[in-house]
Amino acid sequence: MPNHPSPPGALSRRTLLTGTAAAAGLGLTGCGSLAVSLSDKTVVKQWNLLAGADGAIMTDLHTRFEDEYPDVDLQATTLGWGTPFYTRVVMGASGGNGADVATAHVSRIKSLAPDTLLDPFDLKEVEDAGLDPDAFPAEIWEKCFVDGDLYAIPLDTHALVNYYNREICEQIGVLDADRTLLETQGRDAYFEILREAKAITGQYGTSLDTFGGWRQFWAWYRQADGEMSFGDGDYEMDDDKALQAIETMYMMAEEGLCPTFADGAQCAANFENGAAGFVQVGNWEITRFRAFNEAQGLDFSMAEMPDFFGNRRTQGDSHSFILPHHNQWDPEVRKATIEYVAFMLHNSFDWGAGAGHTPAYLPVTESPEYQALEPNAEYSGVVDNVQLDPDVWFSGSGARLFDESGSVFQQVYSLALNPEEALALLKERIQDLVSLPNPVD
């Protein structure tokens, strides 16, 4: 899992904006912050955190953009996922000479101090570029606004989903006529399927990333309508619903329905080598499983998370485009930057088809071409069920809450902590985070 910084000290926004401005300008030169074009083209500097298979797909889209916009010199830079990326974005924006556009998670927008370190989009310029503001999932679109200003435009939704081995599922008898997974209602019903899958594999029913337990916890907690809110140095959480989610983890591990220890790589490998009939991981793993299928054969498909507590909500996030703060925008650069964002959304079919992420722009997701994609269309409804992490600076993709809670849930899966002990420790860890100052506040 990505590393994150030690607890931040008391760093004022004024210190950040002045004391690091020079360092940002110099230290990021190699990242394209001072990049210039050797021709008369308009330079657009793009930063992203996509180094995997989805990064290759984004690179292909960038090539297509440059072919369609020959007067634009798109200079894209990939930075380290998580903390390294967001630190660079903050430093570049503090000096006003970082990227023109960056790819960021919607869950991290507020932690980037949008009123200071980001520039808002103007709805008119978005519409002029051919994007319809009404053509996005409402819940994700609303998260892109802060104090009435639009600070992000979502590219996709990506979420915890349920992969299944069709051959094993056929033996269990849980596929319908078109070989898609039958829906179940309730935790007990799904556990029974996992028991049958375990009997066939001889090892597990499902594979999970036991180091990434926050994703499972948040999915099951939100399925039960659990809320988590923060303010005034304190927070509110429904202990009964949190305990229910943790008990689900413990019960699954105790019965041997999932591994007691599996990092991300082992989690996926368990599914590939037939040690598990199911695996609950992010939709981005589709590229790995497709490659394995081509090389060695793996008849798999994907569905939304199963209904444990009354619905199919799941933990997820959204890659989006943000505008790091500029001391002064060049009108031509600004125009080309917005055209780039619009191009990426209009052409996000390939992003979804290849990377597994579900395009956020509804004209793409709802198109007949996308709805004919397999297995993408089977889990396309996830856009209505994605639950972003709690709204607080230490939450979201690549943030502290994921790591701190993950170390607790890892001990649940390993059966080192019972659910009651884990809940008490989780609350202690969250309170510790609440007591820390926001480093950019």
Side-chain angles (χ1 to χ4, degrees), residues 326-363:
H326 281 47
N327 293 329
Q328 184 175 356
W329 276 96
D330 179 304
E332 290 302 315
V333 172
R334 176 85 178 200
K335 181 175 181 293
T337 298
I338 303 303
E339 288 174 339
Y340 161 80
V341 172
F343 174 90
M344 295 297 286
L345 267 71
H346 287 145
N347 292 277
S348 57
F349 175 92
D350 290 343
W351 179 246
H357 307 309
T358 302
Y361 199 50
L362 296 179

Side-chain angles (χ1 to χ4, degrees), residues 186-187 215-228 237-248 305-315 385 387:
R187 181 175 64 188
R215 292 192 173 104
Q216 285 88 34
F217 169 81
W218 192 243
W220 294 327
Y221 182 68
R222 289 294 299 130
Q223 282 193 11
D225 295 325
E227 301 284 352
M228 192 179 294
M237 181 173 72
D238 189 316
D239 286 2
D240 291 339
K241 292 173 181 177
L243 184 62
Q244 178 180 248
I246 297 172
E247 285 173 341
T248 301
M305 281 285 280
D307 172 350
F308 275 21
F309 303 115
N311 54 75
R312 306 187 79 175
R313 292 175 186 155
T314 186
Q315 189 274 346
N385 286 317
Q387 304 296 299

